[in-house]
Amino acid sequence: MEFHNILRNKRKDFNLTQQELADQLHVTRQTLSRWENDLSYPNLDTLIQLGEILDIPLDNLLKGGENQMVKQLSNDVRDKKKYGLYLRIILSFLILLIV
């Protein structure tokens, strides 16, 4: 089963509205709706919290469906690493210009 279906089904099993679950996760109801409609995914910290609230093992959330979420999380991490590398290069270049 895919992440968005797991999320929706477990939320309903716990008799939580989108707003109630969103409040517990400190996100907006619209954000939760996007997750349930397979339009976006939570970040890793929120995913862990979501698993704890809904009593779902993290590996069940990550392994569901075609692993789109895992691909997206991997891309996010890769993008952050690239950003950090670019920032270091720019800062090094600026320091060289100043010296």
Side-chain angles (χ1 to χ4, degrees):
M1 186 181 297
E2 293 183 6
F3 169 75
H4 64 281
N5 290 325
I6 294 170
L7 174 57
R8 182 180 295 121
N9 292 340
K10 287 298 269 186
R11 177 182 59 78
K12 289 180 179 181
D13 288 347
F14 277 77
N15 294 316
L16 293 170
T17 65
Q18 284 183 340
Q19 185 64 58
E20 291 169 335
L21 182 55
D23 289 344
Q24 290 183 44
L25 296 167
H26 308 289
V27 299
T28 65
R29 185 204 53 78
Q30 292 82 357
T31 296
L32 190 67
S33 176
R34 285 193 296 273
W35 299 342
E36 288 189 0
N37 287 300
D38 201 23
L39 299 174
S40 67
Y41 302 103
N43 63 35
L44 195 51
D45 294 340
T46 305
L47 190 64
I48 292 168
Q49 189 179 10
L50 190 59
E52 291 171 352
I53 291 170
L54 298 178
D55 194 30
I56 308 170
L58 187 58
D59 61 328
N60 288 3
L61 289 172
L62 292 172
K63 291 179 183 176
E66 299 175 5
N67 291 324
Q68 270 308 108
M69 182 171 35
V70 172
K71 291 175 189 174
Q72 183 63 45
L73 289 170
S74 294
N75 287 340
D76 290 349
V77 168
R78 204 171 297 121
D79 289 346
K80 285 181 182 178
K81 286 182 181 177
K82 284 181 189 175
Y83 175 76
L85 176 63
Y86 295 147
L87 187 59
R88 283 188 294 251
I89 290 170
I90 291 169
L91 287 175
S92 298
F93 183 70
L94 289 173
I95 290 171
L96 286 173
L97 283 176
I98 293 171
V99 174

